[in-house]
Amino acid sequence: MSDSLNASEAPQPATTPAQPGTGEEGVRHLPGVSVRHTRSKGEPRFPDGPKADPAGSHFERRIRSFQPRRSRVTAGQADALQRLWPKWGLDIDGQSVVDLAELFGNDNPVVLEIGFGMGEATAQMAAGDPGTNILAVDVHTPGQGNLLNLADHHGLGNVRVGNGDAIILLREMLEPDALDGLRVYFPDPWPKKRHHKRRLIQPEFLSLAATRLRPGALLHCATDWEPYAEQMLEVLTAHPDFENTAPDGGFAPRPEFRPLTRFEGQGLDKGHVVNDLLFSRVQR
């Protein structure tokens, strides 16, 4: 596993002059430099890339567990979004059921990862287990571009990037027992009490996820927010569709397949405690 997977963006080939319709004529964009392009009203940010709101108003309004983060997209990330989205991207519009074998081009087991940040850990896990497909979902456009960039640079054909609401994906677009695993690493802890209802790991979410996980599939959560970890443990332990794999019924050691991320390392340096939870989907 290459250490270069930890880079925030994979190395880019030499740049060429911009083509008509893609930016300013004759301007060379350098890797790592933010893209600044004035779009006309109604012009999509990435014409061949992820949609700004793939599900639109087709589904009910409800409390979201995430907030889209708007930050600048580098030239390398923008190039990856334009070039690779038609091949490796999935807009979560809720309008059709996804054929995962067709999406990945094989029948290998599929793990869903909800929230992948900039994608470094996802890329490392994909490189370490090429026989497992990873469908990684997030709403952060720079992270989507960065993961596509990493997957392309390192030849990770077992990665697909989903754009949109993972709840809609689970509920509307996946068949029962379609997944061999579910990963939720460092979700937003929503620390204020009045925001706890926004936390992802809730009984309703677990009931939905259980319908899409095959028996024996692993649900793996990790967080550095101890009150949230305790809530996760309580909710998962009480749910009839999941069973704790930790012999003592508590938290589990970090498994070798989950990389120590840069974000996690910074937290550990500050004295944060990171807790992993590994629960299996029970046979019913």
PDB file of all heavy atoms in Angstrom, residues 248-279:
ATOM      1  N   ASP A 248     -16.800  -8.513  24.744  1.00  0.00           N
ATOM      2  CA  ASP A 248     -17.294  -7.926  25.991  1.00  0.00           C
ATOM      3  C   ASP A 248     -18.522  -7.049  25.780  1.00  0.00           C
ATOM      4  O   ASP A 248     -19.017  -6.423  26.721  1.00  0.00           O
ATOM      5  CB  ASP A 248     -16.190  -7.129  26.686  1.00  0.00           C
ATOM      6  CG  ASP A 248     -15.703  -5.943  25.856  1.00  0.00           C
ATOM      7  OD1 ASP A 248     -16.168  -5.790  24.699  1.00  0.00           O
ATOM      8  OD2 ASP A 248     -14.870  -5.165  26.366  1.00  0.00           O
ATOM      9  N   GLY A 249     -18.988  -6.973  24.531  1.00  0.00           N
ATOM     10  CA  GLY A 249     -20.164  -6.168  24.252  1.00  0.00           C
ATOM     11  C   GLY A 249     -19.914  -4.679  24.221  1.00  0.00           C
ATOM     12  O   GLY A 249     -20.868  -3.895  24.238  1.00  0.00           O
ATOM     13  N   GLY A 250     -18.664  -4.277  24.140  1.00  0.00           N
ATOM     14  CA  GLY A 250     -18.327  -2.857  24.131  1.00  0.00           C
ATOM     15  C   GLY A 250     -17.724  -2.417  22.809  1.00  0.00           C
ATOM     16  O   GLY A 250     -18.083  -2.917  21.744  1.00  0.00           O
ATOM     17  N   PHE A 251     -16.781  -1.489  22.914  1.00  0.00           N
ATOM     18  CA  PHE A 251     -16.102  -1.001  21.726  1.00  0.00           C
ATOM     19  C   PHE A 251     -15.051  -2.008  21.276  1.00  0.00           C
ATOM     20  O   PHE A 251     -14.586  -2.844  22.050  1.00  0.00           O
ATOM     21  CB  PHE A 251     -15.461   0.356  21.995  1.00  0.00           C
ATOM     22  CG  PHE A 251     -16.456   1.420  22.392  1.00  0.00           C
ATOM     23  CD1 PHE A 251     -16.479   1.932  23.683  1.00  0.00           C
ATOM     24  CD2 PHE A 251     -17.381   1.896  21.480  1.00  0.00           C
ATOM     25  CE1 PHE A 251     -17.396   2.904  24.053  1.00  0.00           C
ATOM     26  CE2 PHE A 251     -18.305   2.868  21.838  1.00  0.00           C
ATOM     27  CZ  PHE A 251     -18.313   3.372  23.132  1.00  0.00           C
ATOM     28  N   ALA A 252     -14.684  -1.903  19.997  1.00  0.00           N
ATOM     29  CA  ALA A 252     -13.724  -2.841  19.413  1.00  0.00           C
ATOM     30  C   ALA A 252     -12.415  -2.126  19.121  1.00  0.00           C
ATOM     31  O   ALA A 252     -12.398  -0.903  18.901  1.00  0.00           O
ATOM     32  CB  ALA A 252     -14.285  -3.430  18.126  1.00  0.00           C
ATOM     33  N   PRO A 253     -11.293  -2.842  19.100  1.00  0.00           N
ATOM     34  CA  PRO A 253     -10.035  -2.234  18.654  1.00  0.00           C
ATOM     35  C   PRO A 253     -10.150  -1.837  17.184  1.00  0.00           C
ATOM     36  O   PRO A 253     -10.922  -2.438  16.427  1.00  0.00           O
ATOM     37  CB  PRO A 253      -9.009  -3.363  18.836  1.00  0.00           C
ATOM     38  CG  PRO A 253      -9.664  -4.369  19.703  1.00  0.00           C
ATOM     39  CD  PRO A 253     -11.127  -4.259  19.477  1.00  0.00           C
ATOM     40  N   ARG A 254      -9.399  -0.814  16.797  1.00  0.00           N
ATOM     41  CA  ARG A 254      -9.412  -0.430  15.381  1.00  0.00           C
ATOM     42  C   ARG A 254      -8.886  -1.588  14.539  1.00  0.00           C
ATOM     43  O   ARG A 254      -7.762  -2.039  14.733  1.00  0.00           O
ATOM     44  CB  ARG A 254      -8.541   0.808  15.148  1.00  0.00           C
ATOM     45  CG  ARG A 254      -8.459   1.234  13.665  1.00  0.00           C
ATOM     46  CD  ARG A 254      -7.687   2.533  13.481  1.00  0.00           C
ATOM     47  NE  ARG A 254      -6.300   2.418  13.883  1.00  0.00           N
ATOM     48  CZ  ARG A 254      -5.317   1.996  13.076  1.00  0.00           C
ATOM     49  NH1 ARG A 254      -5.580   1.648  11.820  1.00  0.00           N
ATOM     50  NH2 ARG A 254      -4.085   1.930  13.510  1.00  0.00           N
ATOM     51  N   PRO A 255      -9.691  -2.098  13.591  1.00  0.00           N
ATOM     52  CA  PRO A 255      -9.213  -3.197  12.746  1.00  0.00           C
ATOM     53  C   PRO A 255      -8.126  -2.718  11.796  1.00  0.00           C
ATOM     54  O   PRO A 255      -8.079  -1.540  11.427  1.00  0.00           O
ATOM     55  CB  PRO A 255     -10.474  -3.636  11.990  1.00  0.00           C
ATOM     56  CG  PRO A 255     -11.360  -2.447  11.994  1.00  0.00           C
ATOM     57  CD  PRO A 255     -11.082  -1.711  13.270  1.00  0.00           C
ATOM     58  N   GLU A 256      -7.276  -3.630  11.391  1.00  0.00           N
ATOM     59  CA  GLU A 256      -6.146  -3.265  10.545  1.00  0.00           C
ATOM     60  C   GLU A 256      -6.590  -2.670   9.215  1.00  0.00           C
ATOM     61  O   GLU A 256      -5.877  -1.848   8.634  1.00  0.00           O
ATOM     62  CB  GLU A 256      -5.246  -4.483  10.300  1.00  0.00           C
ATOM     63  CG  GLU A 256      -4.494  -4.957  11.536  1.00  0.00           C
ATOM     64  CD  GLU A 256      -3.529  -6.080  11.223  1.00  0.00           C
ATOM     65  OE1 GLU A 256      -3.449  -6.465  10.023  1.00  0.00           O
ATOM     66  OE2 GLU A 256      -2.861  -6.571  12.148  1.00  0.00           O
ATOM     67  N   PHE A 257      -7.757  -3.074   8.726  1.00  0.00           N
ATOM     68  CA  PHE A 257      -8.172  -2.586   7.410  1.00  0.00           C
ATOM     69  C   PHE A 257      -8.611  -1.129   7.435  1.00  0.00           C
ATOM     70  O   PHE A 257      -8.722  -0.499   6.387  1.00  0.00           O
ATOM     71  CB  PHE A 257      -9.269  -3.474   6.808  1.00  0.00           C
ATOM     72  CG  PHE A 257     -10.596  -3.430   7.538  1.00  0.00           C
ATOM     73  CD1 PHE A 257     -11.486  -2.382   7.342  1.00  0.00           C
ATOM     74  CD2 PHE A 257     -10.947  -4.450   8.405  1.00  0.00           C
ATOM     75  CE1 PHE A 257     -12.707  -2.352   8.007  1.00  0.00           C
ATOM     76  CE2 PHE A 257     -12.173  -4.429   9.065  1.00  0.00           C
ATOM     77  CZ  PHE A 257     -13.057  -3.377   8.866  1.00  0.00           C
ATOM     78  N   ARG A 258      -8.909  -0.566   8.614  1.00  0.00           N
ATOM     79  CA  ARG A 258      -9.268   0.849   8.670  1.00  0.00           C
ATOM     80  C   ARG A 258      -8.026   1.678   8.910  1.00  0.00           C
ATOM     81  O   ARG A 258      -7.437   1.627   9.986  1.00  0.00           O
ATOM     82  CB  ARG A 258     -10.306   1.136   9.757  1.00  0.00           C
ATOM     83  CG  ARG A 258     -10.745   2.608   9.750  1.00  0.00           C
ATOM     84  CD  ARG A 258     -11.839   2.930  10.744  1.00  0.00           C
ATOM     85  NE  ARG A 258     -11.376   2.994  12.121  1.00  0.00           N
ATOM     86  CZ  ARG A 258     -10.721   4.023  12.655  1.00  0.00           C
ATOM     87  NH1 ARG A 258     -10.390   5.061  11.901  1.00  0.00           N
ATOM     88  NH2 ARG A 258     -10.350   4.006  13.921  1.00  0.00           N
ATOM     89  N   PRO A 259      -7.589   2.466   7.944  1.00  0.00           N
ATOM     90  CA  PRO A 259      -6.353   3.238   8.107  1.00  0.00           C
ATOM     91  C   PRO A 259      -6.498   4.313   9.173  1.00  0.00           C
ATOM     92  O   PRO A 259      -7.591   4.818   9.449  1.00  0.00           O
ATOM     93  CB  PRO A 259      -6.132   3.877   6.730  1.00  0.00           C
ATOM     94  CG  PRO A 259      -7.032   3.145   5.796  1.00  0.00           C
ATOM     95  CD  PRO A 259      -8.180   2.656   6.614  1.00  0.00           C
ATOM     96  N   LEU A 260      -5.379   4.655   9.761  1.00  0.00           N
ATOM     97  CA  LEU A 260      -5.320   5.805  10.658  1.00  0.00           C
ATOM     98  C   LEU A 260      -5.253   7.050   9.791  1.00  0.00           C
ATOM     99  O   LEU A 260      -4.244   7.301   9.127  1.00  0.00           O
ATOM    100  CB  LEU A 260      -4.098   5.714  11.570  1.00  0.00           C
ATOM    101  CG  LEU A 260      -3.937   6.834  12.606  1.00  0.00           C
ATOM    102  CD1 LEU A 260      -5.014   6.726  13.676  1.00  0.00           C
ATOM    103  CD2 LEU A 260      -2.551   6.758  13.254  1.00  0.00           C
ATOM    104  N   THR A 261      -6.324   7.817   9.769  1.00  0.00           N
ATOM    105  CA  THR A 261      -6.374   8.980   8.887  1.00  0.00           C
ATOM    106  C   THR A 261      -5.630  10.162   9.491  1.00  0.00           C
ATOM    107  O   THR A 261      -5.363  10.205  10.689  1.00  0.00           O
ATOM    108  CB  THR A 261      -7.824   9.395   8.611  1.00  0.00           C
ATOM    109  OG1 THR A 261      -8.417   9.873   9.826  1.00  0.00           O
ATOM    110  CG2 THR A 261      -8.645   8.222   8.078  1.00  0.00           C
ATOM    111  N   ARG A 262      -5.330  11.122   8.643  1.00  0.00           N
ATOM    112  CA  ARG A 262      -4.664  12.340   9.099  1.00  0.00           C
ATOM    113  C   ARG A 262      -5.533  13.063  10.127  1.00  0.00           C
ATOM    114  O   ARG A 262      -5.043  13.534  11.153  1.00  0.00           O
ATOM    115  CB  ARG A 262      -4.385  13.226   7.884  1.00  0.00           C
ATOM    116  CG  ARG A 262      -3.688  14.535   8.198  1.00  0.00           C
ATOM    117  CD  ARG A 262      -3.296  15.238   6.924  1.00  0.00           C
ATOM    118  NE  ARG A 262      -4.402  15.253   5.968  1.00  0.00           N
ATOM    119  CZ  ARG A 262      -4.285  15.695   4.719  1.00  0.00           C
ATOM    120  NH1 ARG A 262      -3.121  16.115   4.273  1.00  0.00           N
ATOM    121  NH2 ARG A 262      -5.323  15.698   3.912  1.00  0.00           N
ATOM    122  N   PHE A 263      -6.831  13.147   9.839  1.00  0.00           N
ATOM    123  CA  PHE A 263      -7.769  13.774  10.763  1.00  0.00           C
ATOM    124  C   PHE A 263      -7.761  13.057  12.113  1.00  0.00           C
ATOM    125  O   PHE A 263      -7.727  13.687  13.172  1.00  0.00           O
ATOM    126  CB  PHE A 263      -9.171  13.737  10.148  1.00  0.00           C
ATOM    127  CG  PHE A 263     -10.280  14.079  11.106  1.00  0.00           C
ATOM    128  CD1 PHE A 263     -10.587  15.397  11.389  1.00  0.00           C
ATOM    129  CD2 PHE A 263     -11.013  13.084  11.732  1.00  0.00           C
ATOM    130  CE1 PHE A 263     -11.613  15.720  12.265  1.00  0.00           C
ATOM    131  CE2 PHE A 263     -12.031  13.391  12.614  1.00  0.00           C
ATOM    132  CZ  PHE A 263     -12.324  14.711  12.884  1.00  0.00           C
ATOM    133  N   GLU A 264      -7.770  11.740  12.067  1.00  0.00           N
ATOM    134  CA  GLU A 264      -7.774  10.962  13.303  1.00  0.00           C
ATOM    135  C   GLU A 264      -6.475  11.156  14.073  1.00  0.00           C
ATOM    136  O   GLU A 264      -6.473  11.286  15.302  1.00  0.00           O
ATOM    137  CB  GLU A 264      -7.979   9.489  12.971  1.00  0.00           C
ATOM    138  CG  GLU A 264      -8.075   8.580  14.178  1.00  0.00           C
ATOM    139  CD  GLU A 264      -8.326   7.139  13.789  1.00  0.00           C
ATOM    140  OE1 GLU A 264      -8.484   6.859  12.577  1.00  0.00           O
ATOM    141  OE2 GLU A 264      -8.369   6.280  14.695  1.00  0.00           O
ATOM    142  N   GLY A 265      -5.350  11.167  13.359  1.00  0.00           N
ATOM    143  CA  GLY A 265      -4.067  11.367  14.016  1.00  0.00           C
ATOM    144  C   GLY A 265      -3.982  12.703  14.716  1.00  0.00           C
ATOM    145  O   GLY A 265      -3.435  12.806  15.823  1.00  0.00           O
ATOM    146  N   GLN A 266      -4.551  13.738  14.083  1.00  0.00           N
ATOM    147  CA  GLN A 266      -4.558  15.055  14.722  1.00  0.00           C
ATOM    148  C   GLN A 266      -5.387  15.029  15.997  1.00  0.00           C
ATOM    149  O   GLN A 266      -5.026  15.638  17.003  1.00  0.00           O
ATOM    150  CB  GLN A 266      -5.120  16.087  13.745  1.00  0.00           C
ATOM    151  CG  GLN A 266      -4.209  16.372  12.559  1.00  0.00           C
ATOM    152  CD  GLN A 266      -4.880  17.221  11.484  1.00  0.00           C
ATOM    153  OE1 GLN A 266      -6.090  17.454  11.532  1.00  0.00           O
ATOM    154  NE2 GLN A 266      -4.104  17.672  10.518  1.00  0.00           N
ATOM    155  N   GLY A 267      -6.497  14.302  15.965  1.00  0.00           N
ATOM    156  CA  GLY A 267      -7.337  14.184  17.146  1.00  0.00           C
ATOM    157  C   GLY A 267      -6.644  13.436  18.265  1.00  0.00           C
ATOM    158  O   GLY A 267      -6.720  13.832  19.438  1.00  0.00           O
ATOM    159  N   LEU A 268      -5.956  12.366  17.910  1.00  0.00           N
ATOM    160  CA  LEU A 268      -5.233  11.592  18.921  1.00  0.00           C
ATOM    161  C   LEU A 268      -4.135  12.434  19.565  1.00  0.00           C
ATOM    162  O   LEU A 268      -3.886  12.326  20.767  1.00  0.00           O
ATOM    163  CB  LEU A 268      -4.647  10.329  18.291  1.00  0.00           C
ATOM    164  CG  LEU A 268      -5.660   9.265  17.841  1.00  0.00           C
ATOM    165  CD1 LEU A 268      -4.964   8.155  17.058  1.00  0.00           C
ATOM    166  CD2 LEU A 268      -6.392   8.675  19.052  1.00  0.00           C
ATOM    167  N   ASP A 269      -3.479  13.265  18.753  1.00  0.00           N
ATOM    168  CA  ASP A 269      -2.445  14.147  19.291  1.00  0.00           C
ATOM    169  C   ASP A 269      -3.020  15.138  20.302  1.00  0.00           C
ATOM    170  O   ASP A 269      -2.309  15.601  21.202  1.00  0.00           O
ATOM    171  CB  ASP A 269      -1.765  14.921  18.152  1.00  0.00           C
ATOM    172  CG  ASP A 269      -0.887  14.025  17.279  1.00  0.00           C
ATOM    173  OD1 ASP A 269      -0.522  12.921  17.740  1.00  0.00           O
ATOM    174  OD2 ASP A 269      -0.582  14.429  16.145  1.00  0.00           O
ATOM    175  N   LYS A 270      -4.296  15.459  20.147  1.00  0.00           N
ATOM    176  CA  LYS A 270      -4.957  16.381  21.073  1.00  0.00           C
ATOM    177  C   LYS A 270      -5.582  15.666  22.257  1.00  0.00           C
ATOM    178  O   LYS A 270      -6.245  16.299  23.084  1.00  0.00           O
ATOM    179  CB  LYS A 270      -6.037  17.164  20.326  1.00  0.00           C
ATOM    180  CG  LYS A 270      -5.500  18.059  19.217  1.00  0.00           C
ATOM    181  CD  LYS A 270      -6.646  18.712  18.445  1.00  0.00           C
ATOM    182  CE  LYS A 270      -6.125  19.561  17.295  1.00  0.00           C
ATOM    183  NZ  LYS A 270      -7.236  20.133  16.486  1.00  0.00           N
ATOM    184  N   GLY A 271      -5.399  14.355  22.322  1.00  0.00           N
ATOM    185  CA  GLY A 271      -5.946  13.600  23.436  1.00  0.00           C
ATOM    186  C   GLY A 271      -7.334  13.037  23.209  1.00  0.00           C
ATOM    187  O   GLY A 271      -7.961  12.530  24.150  1.00  0.00           O
ATOM    188  N   HIS A 272      -7.835  13.106  21.989  1.00  0.00           N
ATOM    189  CA  HIS A 272      -9.154  12.549  21.700  1.00  0.00           C
ATOM    190  C   HIS A 272      -9.112  11.027  21.784  1.00  0.00           C
ATOM    191  O   HIS A 272      -8.094  10.402  21.479  1.00  0.00           O
ATOM    192  CB  HIS A 272      -9.623  12.962  20.303  1.00  0.00           C
ATOM    193  CG  HIS A 272      -9.846  14.431  20.151  1.00  0.00           C
ATOM    194  ND1 HIS A 272     -10.326  14.994  18.986  1.00  0.00           N
ATOM    195  CD2 HIS A 272      -9.660  15.462  21.019  1.00  0.00           C
ATOM    196  CE1 HIS A 272     -10.418  16.303  19.134  1.00  0.00           C
ATOM    197  NE2 HIS A 272     -10.011  16.614  20.350  1.00  0.00           N
ATOM    198  N   VAL A 273     -10.206  10.433  22.177  1.00  0.00           N
ATOM    199  CA  VAL A 273     -10.344   8.986  22.202  1.00  0.00           C
ATOM    200  C   VAL A 273     -11.188   8.559  21.017  1.00  0.00           C
ATOM    201  O   VAL A 273     -12.294   9.058  20.822  1.00  0.00           O
ATOM    202  CB  VAL A 273     -11.001   8.507  23.512  1.00  0.00           C
ATOM    203  CG1 VAL A 273     -11.235   7.003  23.487  1.00  0.00           C
ATOM    204  CG2 VAL A 273     -10.134   8.890  24.714  1.00  0.00           C
ATOM    205  N   VAL A 274     -10.668   7.652  20.205  1.00  0.00           N
ATOM    206  CA  VAL A 274     -11.396   7.162  19.041  1.00  0.00           C
ATOM    207  C   VAL A 274     -11.968   5.788  19.372  1.00  0.00           C
ATOM    208  O   VAL A 274     -11.250   4.896  19.845  1.00  0.00           O
ATOM    209  CB  VAL A 274     -10.478   7.067  17.802  1.00  0.00           C
ATOM    210  CG1 VAL A 274     -11.237   6.447  16.618  1.00  0.00           C
ATOM    211  CG2 VAL A 274      -9.959   8.450  17.435  1.00  0.00           C
ATOM    212  N   ASN A 275     -13.248   5.625  19.131  1.00  0.00           N
ATOM    213  CA  ASN A 275     -13.915   4.358  19.403  1.00  0.00           C
ATOM    214  C   ASN A 275     -14.437   3.752  18.103  1.00  0.00           C
ATOM    215  O   ASN A 275     -15.067   4.437  17.292  1.00  0.00           O
ATOM    216  CB  ASN A 275     -15.096   4.566  20.359  1.00  0.00           C
ATOM    217  CG  ASN A 275     -14.643   4.847  21.785  1.00  0.00           C
ATOM    218  OD1 ASN A 275     -14.010   4.015  22.423  1.00  0.00           O
ATOM    219  ND2 ASN A 275     -14.960   6.035  22.284  1.00  0.00           N
ATOM    220  N   ASP A 276     -14.177   2.457  17.932  1.00  0.00           N
ATOM    221  CA  ASP A 276     -14.715   1.693  16.810  1.00  0.00           C
ATOM    222  C   ASP A 276     -15.827   0.794  17.314  1.00  0.00           C
ATOM    223  O   ASP A 276     -15.741   0.234  18.416  1.00  0.00           O
ATOM    224  CB  ASP A 276     -13.624   0.838  16.166  1.00  0.00           C
ATOM    225  CG  ASP A 276     -12.671   1.644  15.302  1.00  0.00           C
ATOM    226  OD1 ASP A 276     -11.844   2.403  15.858  1.00  0.00           O
ATOM    227  OD2 ASP A 276     -12.747   1.510  14.074  1.00  0.00           O
ATOM    228  N   LEU A 277     -16.854   0.649  16.488  1.00  0.00           N
ATOM    229  CA  LEU A 277     -17.948  -0.262  16.789  1.00  0.00           C
ATOM    230  C   LEU A 277     -18.122  -1.189  15.598  1.00  0.00           C
ATOM    231  O   LEU A 277     -18.264  -0.725  14.457  1.00  0.00           O
ATOM    232  CB  LEU A 277     -19.254   0.495  17.051  1.00  0.00           C
ATOM    233  CG  LEU A 277     -19.236   1.531  18.183  1.00  0.00           C
ATOM    234  CD1 LEU A 277     -18.968   2.927  17.634  1.00  0.00           C
ATOM    235  CD2 LEU A 277     -20.563   1.526  18.932  1.00  0.00           C
ATOM    236  N   LEU A 278     -18.098  -2.495  15.842  1.00  0.00           N
ATOM    237  CA  LEU A 278     -18.233  -3.486  14.789  1.00  0.00           C
ATOM    238  C   LEU A 278     -19.399  -4.406  15.135  1.00  0.00           C
ATOM    239  O   LEU A 278     -19.314  -5.215  16.062  1.00  0.00           O
ATOM    240  CB  LEU A 278     -16.943  -4.279  14.621  1.00  0.00           C
ATOM    241  CG  LEU A 278     -15.767  -3.449  14.088  1.00  0.00           C
ATOM    242  CD1 LEU A 278     -14.562  -3.597  14.995  1.00  0.00           C
ATOM    243  CD2 LEU A 278     -15.405  -3.883  12.682  1.00  0.00           C
ATOM    244  N   PHE A 279     -20.479  -4.260  14.384  1.00  0.00           N
ATOM    245  CA  PHE A 279     -21.684  -5.051  14.593  1.00  0.00           C
ATOM    246  C   PHE A 279     -22.008  -5.831  13.326  1.00  0.00           C
ATOM    247  O   PHE A 279     -21.852  -5.309  12.215  1.00  0.00           O
ATOM    248  CB  PHE A 279     -22.866  -4.150  14.949  1.00  0.00           C
ATOM    249  CG  PHE A 279     -22.892  -3.721  16.392  1.00  0.00           C
ATOM    250  CD1 PHE A 279     -21.957  -2.814  16.882  1.00  0.00           C
ATOM    251  CD2 PHE A 279     -23.849  -4.231  17.277  1.00  0.00           C
ATOM    252  CE1 PHE A 279     -21.987  -2.417  18.213  1.00  0.00           C
ATOM    253  CE2 PHE A 279     -23.870  -3.838  18.598  1.00  0.00           C
ATOM    254  CZ  PHE A 279     -22.948  -2.932  19.089  1.00  0.00           C
TER     255      PHE A 279
END
